[in-house]
Every structure is written in structure tokens, then in C-alpha cells.
Amino acid sequence: MEFFKGVSFETGTKGDALARVSEAQKKKELKNYEPTWEEVWLTGYPSTTGKHKNGIFQTKITPKDKDRLLDVKTAIEAGQLGMGVESLKKFSKAHALNLYKQLAEARKAEIIKGYLANMPENYHTVNTHEGMEWVLSLFEDSYALGAEVALDTETTGVEWWDRTVGLSLTFEFGDVEENFYIPYGHTSDHEQLTRGYVMKKLKPHLEKKGTKLVLHNSKFDSHMLLKDGITIRNNIYFDTMIAHSVLNENDEKGLKAIATKYGRFFGFEDKSMSFGELFSNKPEAFYSNESMELCTFYACKDTHLCLKLYKWQLSMMKKQPKLYDVYFNYEQPLTPAVLAMEETGFEIDFSFADMYKTELQAEVSDLEQKMTRRFGEINLNSPAQLSALLYDELKLPDISGKRKADAKTLQKLVKHESDLKLILEYRDLNKLLTTYVEPLPEKVNKNTGKLHSSFNQSATVTSRFASKDPNLQNLPPKARKLIVAPKGYLIFGIDYSQIEPRTLAHMSGDAGLQYPYLNNIDLYASLASKIFKLPYEACLEADGETYKKAGLPKHPRKMMKVGLLAVMYGITVPSLAESLGISVPEAQKFMDDFYSSYPEMTAWMAKQVAHADETGYVETMQGRKRRFIGHTVIAKHYHALHAKVVNILGREPENIWREPLPRNLKKQYWEVNKDYQRVARMSVNAIIQGSAALMLKKAMIAVNAHLERKGAGWKMMATIHDELLFLIPEAVTPEEIIEIENIMKDVVKLDVPLKVDTEVMIRWGEGIPFAEWVEKGCGRKPFEEVA
């Protein structure tokens, strides 16, 4: 027994010792292990602890960083850059990105050196009267030949308070191709002409009717030149930024980004760095410190590139006549209208803003005290603290399963804890105060005394307008009250009524959808009557009882409004169920009944989805495209898997995870179905929304032309969703407003009539219907009576 024990102990001791020796040897080997270049970048290698250390390209990397890392790797391999470490174990992603900064600096110096060494002979600095006369003679020649002239302003920055320091021009006709930079605002000892002289000489040519100017982001240059007393908006012949959004709405819109991607097609490959990367994020410093030769090169290069890009874009559009038509009949003539709208701006009622701010501050403070008394000291901006309050202290049900504390979740939890309304109300009022009421007056342009929002006609993939500073689409109704009509004017809001449902009714040709519009009855009540098999009158809002007897959870008209939006915007069935407060099966039946009740609409939608599957894009009524990159491949995969699933089941799948199918097939189907259905929903919406957006743009063009004929006092102020805001002299007659309404209604002929609703205001958001305004005597009289 003793012997046996001894043997066991001795064996165990020797085994442990060998294991320790082996472990020590392994650690020594790992410590001394030197990874290869390929392991550092691609495959990874064992760390000193024995764990696998990923290669740089196996880690999470943004596309921008990936390009930079590739540059570093290539430069080191080419001997252009040192590794900067003694051991490759210290060569990390962070180190590689730091090396990129060195590489960028070295390249910056090389690029600038190359610019100056290879300055094209046709890049000229204009700093003499003789040089200016040459430019003016080329303007005359271009005008006589109907040739386009590229224009770009060089400025101290991109804000409203910035100014121009110079201007570049490119002329090209016949064998002539000349590029000029005209400096006049450099704060340096550079020889240059005066601003007044340059503007006096250029103004007649830039404003001459029929001059064809080509620019990239023409709105910016137009606003900048307006400060110098030159109005170019009616001579903007082509904007390469907006044109590119028509040719490919998914691309970046920057001139350098476009040139990098497409320059090889028009002989102008450009993979250089941006202005900020090359020089500085402070243009004013650049134009003060850099040589005039470098300023000339950079400025001339922009207009040279812009003109080349224009000619290539034009050739692409001519191959696609529908897109050519969209640009030249919708987008191009719209730009002057947008510029005029931005120049008009908004009058802010500062005294009201101060009073409203004080009022809101008191309300917010009162709510903070009430919340403190009810919930204790808590930072509402801390999701962690709010989650702890909801789920740990108040013991509320975790509806999301993720301890969420967002507004949507709080609204659901109110039925469990009514005092949560305090938090929701606080958030709304505090956002109104800090995001709108306090900042908006501070954004007023000191030169004009008005708030000028920026409108972007090409910001969205569906062609709808976007705005910023402020974003009018997101401006709460209560914040709109800060905007007022100046003395002697009124604000008119003319809104297209149900323009997207009307567009769907027209494009689908569905008689059932068209019926309410052709017979001037309520759309939603008509749809509800057909879907729920109720009398039309029972579906009007005036009847609040019949639907209850029929067992409906909500008023049928309200349900139908949500249902139609679900169809047009591609809302999922679970989301629809949540919006209507019904179960998912009930929501599915609702949608099935909707589709079966309007077969022509359903067939039209299926046709559009099939077109997207086959071509990867859909078209609006006017021919504008909405492209879905990679969708054709996804569609083929989806249809193949769907056929396989149906073949196995002998029917259409329902909840794929509950079907008797192999798990791997379920997973594959679920993944591809998710991507496929997303595009299927978006494709239909893109057609409806895009078609309606272009109709609004056409109306804006026609109305703006009408306002210009009326005189300087008639202005278009803004576009918000499907509405146009106008600033019009208070002496306007009802007939003159009806004339504008008719222009908007007649801008396009559909199978159903277009309708507009007009509101009259002194303060935005506190208006009265047009009919009431007329009945009470027009002008400001109806509002004075209210006051």
C-alpha cells in the first residue's frame, strides 16, 4: 500500500513538473514569436497568452479606415514608408493609422509640389486689367456660340457670414480651352484686382440673359455672389451636383468624390485629397498664406473638372432621355425658385420668442420639480438611470426585453404608471425650448434680419425636399409660432390634399381607388366601407357608434388612414398591428382584405416589385429612377429559396421558424427574405413618393414664374412635405390666390383631380381656412377681429 502510494505520488509530481516545463517552454516560444507581415495584416497570430490575435483586416474597420490602412500597407511594401516599430508584434491597427498621418503629410507635400511643377499652360491668374479684358472677350465669344462657362467661387468658409476671395472660370469652345482664377479678396501681399473692379466688369456678363453657367452646388455660389451684388440664379444652366443625384441617387455628391469614381470616363482621373486634407480646414488662412500659383491651380482645377464632368453627365443623360427630361424640365428650372425661396427667409417675432421662452422655462422648471417629488433626483438624459427607475424601482414590465427607456417605450408604459406622462411632457417641452425656441432667434442672419433655411432639392433618394437650419419638416407646430408675416403681408399655406393616394390611384388605374376622387366623397370612409363591409355613412367620423357594434377596435376611417399609409409606405404587419392596437393575425387579415378589395392596385404593385427584381430599379411617373444596389442578386436568391420552401411544404410559408423545415434552410430563407421584403416595400413607396415629389417641384417652377410676373412683393417662402408657403401683400384679392391654387392643381393632368387646401396666417401655425378669410373681409381684418 505504501509502495503503491509512493508510486502514485512520484508519478503525479513528475507529471506536474513536466507540464510546468512544457508550459514555460510554450510561454517562452510565444514571447519570442515574431509574426509575419501576412499574419499581422490578414490571418492573425497567437498572442503571448496563447489567444488568437486577429490580423488588422480581420478587425472591425470603417470603409474610410480600410482605404487608409491599404494605403499604408502598400506604401510600406513599396519602400515609401518605414514600419516605425522594431517588432511586428507592436504593429497594430492604431499604429498603422498613425503612420497614415505621416504618409498623408508626405503625400501632401508631393502633391502640392507636383501641382506647381505641372501647372497647365492654360491655367491663368488674372490680376491685371489686360487679363480681365481677355476674360471678358471669352465671355463674348461663349455667348455668341452658345457655349457653357464653368464658374466657382473661392470663399473664406461655408457659412452665411463668409465672403468670396476670388472666382474661377473655365471656357471651352472649338480649340479654345482656358481656365482663369481672378483673386480679389486675399488678405495678403498677392497682386490682385479690387473686388469692386472685378464685380463691375463681370456683372453684365454673369447676369446677361442667355449666359450658360455650369457649377457644382450652384446654390452656394449664387448666395455668395449675391453678397457681391451679382445675381446669377436665372443663368444657372447646369448644376453637376444635382445632375449627379438624377443619374445616381445613391452616390456621394462631392465634386472630388465623383471625379475619383468616374473621372476615367472623361479623361480627368482625380484621386487627390480634399481641400481640407491638402491645405487646411480654414480656407481664409489658405488664401492668405499660400502662393498665388497654388491658389490658381486649385481654383482652376475645380472649374476645369466641373466643365468636363458636365459634358460627360450630359452625354449620359442623352442616352437616357427620361433622365434628361427629369433634369431639364424639373430639377434645373427648380434651382432658381429654391434660391429665391431661401433669399426670402422668415421674419422672427423676437418679443414673442422671449415671452414664449420665459413661459416654457417656467413650465419645464415646474415639471422638473414634480418629477423630483415623484421619482427623486434622476438624470433624464441618462438611459441607465431611467432604466433603473422603470424596471428596478417601479418594477414595470420590460416590454422591449432590452430595458429600453425611449419615448415609444414610455408611451406604452404609461398605462402601467400614469405619472410617466410627466417625463414625456418634460421631454417634449424641453426639446421645444432648447432645440427651437431658444436657438432659432440666434440663427437670424445679421445682414438681412431674417432666418434663412437651406432647402435641398436632391438630398433624398426619392427626390423629396429636405431642409436644414432649421429643418422645417421637424419643426414642431408650437415652434412655428415664432415665424410671422412682416407688416403689410400675409402668409398663405397651400397644401396638396392627399397627393400620394391620388398618385397611387392614377398610376395603378384602380377604379375603386379612383371612385372617391371622381365622385368627390371621402377617400378613407369609402375605403373603410369596402373593406369592413359597412355603409359609407357609418364610416364617416360623424358616426361614432356603428363601428363599435360591428366589433371594430377603432373607428374604421382612422383604421383605413393607417392602413393606406401601410400600403404606400411599406409598413410591416407587426408595425401595423401596433399602430392599430390589434393582434398581428388581425393586422394580416386587414392587409389581405385591403389587397383583395383593390385587385388592380395589388396587381400594379406586384408589377413594380417584379420590375425591381429584374432590373434593380423602379421609375417614377416622370421617369426618375430609384436604384437598389445588389437587389437583382438578392431577388434571384430569394425566389429560388422561396420555391424550395413552397415545394417542401406544399403551400406558402407562414412563420418560417415554426415550419417543419431544416434549420439551415430556415435561417437562409429568413435572412434573404428580410432583405428582399425591405426592397419590395421601398420600391412601391419610391414610385409613389417620387412621383408626387416631382409634381410638387413642377408646381413650384410654375408658381415661381407666376410670382415673378406679379412683382417683387410676391414670394414663395418654403416647402414642407406637400405644402408651399407664400408671403403675399395683404391687399391680395381672393381671385389672385385662386389663380395660384389653379396653377398648382393644373400642373399635371391625372385620371383623378388634384385638390389643394389653403390656410391664411399672420403667425405661422395660427391660420384660418381660405373660405373663412374671404367671408370675414380678407386682408388682416379677420385676424384683427380675433385679436
Side-chain angles (χ1 to χ4, degrees):
M1 191 74 169
E2 287 294 325
F3 175 74
F4 187 75
K5 285 181 180 178
V7 172
S8 296
F9 178 77
E10 186 179 8
T11 303
T13 303
K14 186 181 289 186
D16 289 345
L18 288 173
R20 287 195 296 272
V21 169
S22 176
E23 186 66 26
Q25 181 65 29
K26 185 178 178 182
K27 285 183 179 179
K28 184 178 180 181
E29 289 174 358
L30 288 172
K31 185 178 180 181
N32 295 327
Y33 183 77
E34 184 70 11
T36 65
W37 186 242
E38 183 180 357
E39 286 175 329
V40 166
W41 287 98
L42 305 175
T43 62
Y45 56 91
S47 67
T48 53
T49 61
K51 293 183 179 180
H52 180 79
K53 181 178 176 65
N54 284 332
I56 291 173
F57 285 138
Q58 291 179 315
T59 61
K60 191 174 181 180
I61 305 172
T62 65
K64 189 173 183 179
D65 279 349
K66 185 176 182 181
D67 289 341
R68 291 176 171 180
L69 291 166
L70 277 171
D71 275 352
V72 169
K73 184 174 182 289
T74 303
I76 292 174
E77 290 169 351
Q80 300 169 352
L81 185 69
M83 287 191 294
V85 290
E86 295 178 359
S87 169
L88 282 178
K89 283 190 290 188
K90 295 181 179 180
F91 198 98
S92 63
K93 179 171 70 176
H95 176 69
L97 289 172
N98 279 329
L99 286 178
Y100 177 79
K101 295 176 184 177
Q102 298 177 26
L103 181 63
E105 283 298 314
R107 283 184 176 174
K108 169 184 169 179
E110 279 301 310
I111 289 170
I112 292 174
K113 183 179 177 182
Y115 282 171
L116 297 176
N118 299 293
M119 174 83 81
E121 292 182 0
N122 61 354
Y123 281 24
H124 314 284
T125 306
V126 180
N127 52 12
T128 65
H129 291 177
E130 292 77 14
M132 179 59 78
E133 290 304 317
W134 184 16
V135 170
L136 299 182
S137 70
L138 290 178
F139 259 117
E140 293 286 358
D141 294 341
S142 294
Y143 187 83
L145 295 168
E148 303 83 0
V149 180
L151 167 70
D152 187 37
T153 57
E154 300 303 324
T155 65
T156 56
V158 296
E159 301 296 340
W160 60 264
W161 55 78
D162 286 304
R163 57 184 173 81
T164 61
V165 298
L167 184 148
S168 56
L169 296 161
T170 292
F171 301 88
E172 184 180 334
F173 45 87
D175 295 330
V176 176
E177 185 187 280
E178 301 292 351
N179 308 272
F180 300 93
Y181 177 54
I182 310 171
Y184 49 78
H186 290 228
T187 54
S188 64
D189 295 331
H190 295 152
E191 183 180 354
Q192 57 186 323
L193 298 167
T194 66
R195 184 183 300 269
Y197 172 79
V198 171
M199 296 307 152
K200 181 181 177 181
K201 289 293 184 179
L202 290 181
K203 183 179 175 72
H205 295 277
L206 293 176
E207 292 187 348
K208 188 174 183 179
K209 187 176 181 180
T211 296
K212 295 180 177 180
L213 298 178
V214 175
L215 306 95
H216 190 86
N217 189 12
S218 60
K219 280 205 303 121
F220 175 77
D221 299 290
S222 182
H223 284 313
M224 283 296 175
L225 285 173
L226 192 62
K227 293 181 183 181
D228 293 323
I230 294 178
T231 303
I232 66 168
R233 68 181 185 223
N234 291 320
N235 284 338
I236 297 170
Y237 180 70
F238 202 89
D239 187 323
T240 50
M241 184 180 78
I242 295 173
H244 203 73
S245 72
V246 174
L247 285 166
N248 192 337
E249 73 286 354
N250 297 303
D251 268 348
E252 289 185 52
K253 305 303 187 295
L255 186 60
K256 294 294 188 297
I258 296 171
T260 299
K261 188 171 182 178
Y262 299 101
R264 66 187 186 277
F265 296 117
F266 49 92
F268 208 110
E269 289 198 56
D270 185 59
K271 295 183 180 178
S272 63
M273 302 175 189
S274 68
F275 182 94
E277 289 174 319
L278 271 176
F279 308 119
S280 143
N281 286 320
K282 298 178 179 178
E284 189 166 12
F286 170 75
Y287 293 113
S288 298
N289 304 325
E290 298 294 346
S291 69
M292 186 58 77
E293 290 80 5
L294 185 56
C295 294
T296 295
F297 179 90
Y298 197 85
C300 287
K301 185 182 178 187
D302 273 358
T303 48
H304 189 190
L305 168 57
C306 187
L307 197 62
K308 294 285 187 187
L309 174 60
Y310 149 68
K311 293 191 172 183
W312 176 71
Q313 288 177 332
L314 189 63
S315 69
M316 292 296 101
M317 284 182 175
K318 286 180 177 178
K319 293 176 183 178
Q320 303 178 77
K322 290 180 182 179
L323 296 185
Y324 182 95
D325 180 73
V326 165
Y327 180 74
F328 281 103
N329 287 324
Y330 291 85
E331 302 295 352
Q332 189 267 353
L334 178 64
T335 301
V338 176
L339 281 162
M341 194 162 65
E342 291 183 347
E343 289 163 13
T344 298
F346 303 100
E347 188 96 2
I348 296 292
D349 186 339
F350 289 100
S351 59
F352 174 80
D354 286 339
M355 179 187 71
Y356 196 23
K357 179 174 71 173
T358 303
E359 179 186 319
L360 285 173
Q361 286 171 337
E363 289 183 44
V364 167
S365 177
D366 181 56
L367 282 169
E368 286 174 336
Q369 293 175 29
K370 287 179 179 178
M371 288 188 295
T372 301
R373 286 197 296 269
R374 174 63 183 88
F375 302 119
E377 294 289 344
I378 180 172
N379 180 5
L380 291 176
N381 295 319
S382 168
Q385 288 189 34
L386 195 50
S387 292
L389 169 69
L390 297 175
Y391 305 115
D392 299 333
E393 293 182 36
L394 299 178
K395 307 295 182 184
L396 297 175
D398 185 4
I399 297 171
S400 67
K402 298 178 181 178
R403 291 174 64 89
K404 286 186 177 180
D406 58 309
K408 193 174 180 180
T409 303
L410 286 174
Q411 286 165 356
K412 294 177 182 177
L413 291 174
V414 164
K415 64 182 180 182
H416 300 283
E417 173 53 72
S418 61
D419 284 343
L420 292 180
K421 289 180 181 177
L422 292 172
I423 298 176
L424 289 168
E425 188 178 353
Y426 168 81
R427 281 182 166 179
D428 287 343
L429 285 181
N430 194 51
K431 182 178 180 180
L432 177 63
L433 173 66
T434 60
T435 307
Y436 301 105
V437 176
E438 288 180 335
L440 283 185
E442 296 174 3
K443 292 183 178 182
V444 166
N445 187 313
K446 291 180 176 61
N447 297 324
T448 66
K450 293 183 177 182
L451 179 68
H452 297 269
S453 187
S454 175
F455 297 92
N456 193 329
Q457 68 190 82
S458 60
T460 66
V461 293
T462 60
S463 188
R464 290 198 84 175
F465 263 91
S467 61
K468 64 177 183 179
D469 299 326
N471 182 340
L472 297 175
Q473 281 83 355
N474 291 346
L475 198 64
K478 290 181 180 178
R480 292 180 173 185
K481 295 193 292 184
L482 272 64
I483 295 170
V484 293
K487 187 177 181 180
Y489 288 85
L490 292 170
I491 296 172
F492 286 82
I494 306 182
D495 188 11
Y496 275 114
S497 173
Q498 300 173 357
I499 191 171
E500 290 185 7
R502 290 172 194 269
T503 301
L504 174 60
H506 168 78
M507 295 191 74
S508 68
D510 193 295
L513 282 180
Q514 293 181 2
Y515 180 83
Y517 294 127
L518 295 175
N519 291 275
N520 198 28
I521 62 174
D522 187 274
L523 170 69
Y524 301 113
S526 175
L527 297 178
S529 174
K530 194 168 185 178
I531 300 296
F532 299 117
K533 307 294 189 295
L534 292 172
Y536 169 76
E537 291 74 16
C539 298
L540 293 170
E541 287 185 357
D543 186 340
E545 296 299 325
T546 304
Y547 80 91
K548 296 176 183 176
K549 296 173 184 177
L552 294 178
K554 290 186 177 180
H555 195 288
R557 189 181 184 279
K558 291 181 179 179
M559 290 182 71
M560 207 60 250
K561 208 168 185 178
V562 176
L564 184 57
L565 286 175
V567 168
M568 293 193 300
Y569 287 89
I571 298 172
T572 62
V573 170
S575 296
L576 176 63
E578 186 176 327
S579 298
L580 293 176
I582 59 179
S583 68
V584 171
E586 286 174 326
Q588 184 64 62
K589 183 179 185 306
F590 176 84
M591 291 301 291
D592 291 343
D593 289 345
F594 195 156
Y595 285 124
S596 62
S597 298
Y598 296 92
E600 291 165 288
M601 176 199 76
T602 304
W604 176 81
M605 288 182 167
K607 184 179 178 182
Q608 308 317 308
V609 172
H611 187 275
D613 290 353
E614 185 180 347
T615 65
Y617 70 88
V618 291
E619 285 185 340
T620 66
M621 187 167 67
Q622 301 86 351
R624 186 176 183 127
K625 289 183 178 179
R626 170 70 177 101
R627 302 157 186 86
F628 303 101
I629 308 302
H631 179 65
T632 54
V633 175
I634 292 171
K636 286 179 182 177
H637 189 200
Y638 165 77
H639 287 302
L641 281 177
H642 184 75
K644 187 174 182 179
V645 167
V646 170
N647 186 51
I648 295 172
L649 296 176
R651 55 175 172 78
E652 289 290 323
E654 294 176 5
N655 185 327
I656 193 67
W657 294 109
R658 295 177 183 172
E659 300 288 8
L661 297 166
R663 179 168 178 77
N664 189 46
L665 178 58
K666 291 180 183 179
K667 186 177 180 181
Q668 287 181 358
Y669 182 82
W670 185 82
E671 288 288 347
V672 75
N673 182 62
K674 179 177 63 175
D675 293 335
Y676 177 79
Q677 296 300 339
R678 179 181 62 85
V679 172
R681 293 191 299 270
M682 288 170 62
S683 60
V684 172
N685 172 244
I687 299 170
I688 300 168
Q689 191 177 101
S691 298
L694 285 172
M695 278 189 265
L696 178 71
K697 288 182 175 182
K698 196 74 170 175
M700 290 174 69
I701 295 165
V703 170
N704 186 63
H706 174 74
L707 297 179
E708 287 183 346
R709 290 191 295 269
K710 295 291 289 186
W714 295 61
K715 304 286 187 181
M716 186 157 55
M717 294 174 66
T719 173
I720 307 98
H721 301 301
D722 304 321
E723 181 181 14
L724 297 180
L725 285 186
F726 300 95
L727 192 62
I728 295 175
E730 63 178 82
V732 63
T733 65
E735 291 74 22
E736 288 175 305
I737 298 301
I738 291 171
E739 193 173 5
I740 296 175
E741 289 182 334
N742 288 336
I743 291 172
M744 292 178 65
K745 290 190 289 185
D746 296 338
V747 73
V748 64
K749 294 297 181 184
L750 302 182
D751 292 340
V752 295
L754 288 176
K755 181 178 180 294
V756 295
D757 297 317
T758 301
E759 192 176 26
V760 192
M761 298 159 272
I762 287 180
R763 186 180 300 280
W764 190 20
E766 294 184 353
I768 59 176
F770 177 66
E772 183 181 337
W773 176 74
V774 173
E775 183 184 340
K776 290 184 176 180
C778 303
R780 289 202 168 211
K781 186 178 178 183
F783 302 98
E784 291 167 357
E785 287 180 357
V786 171

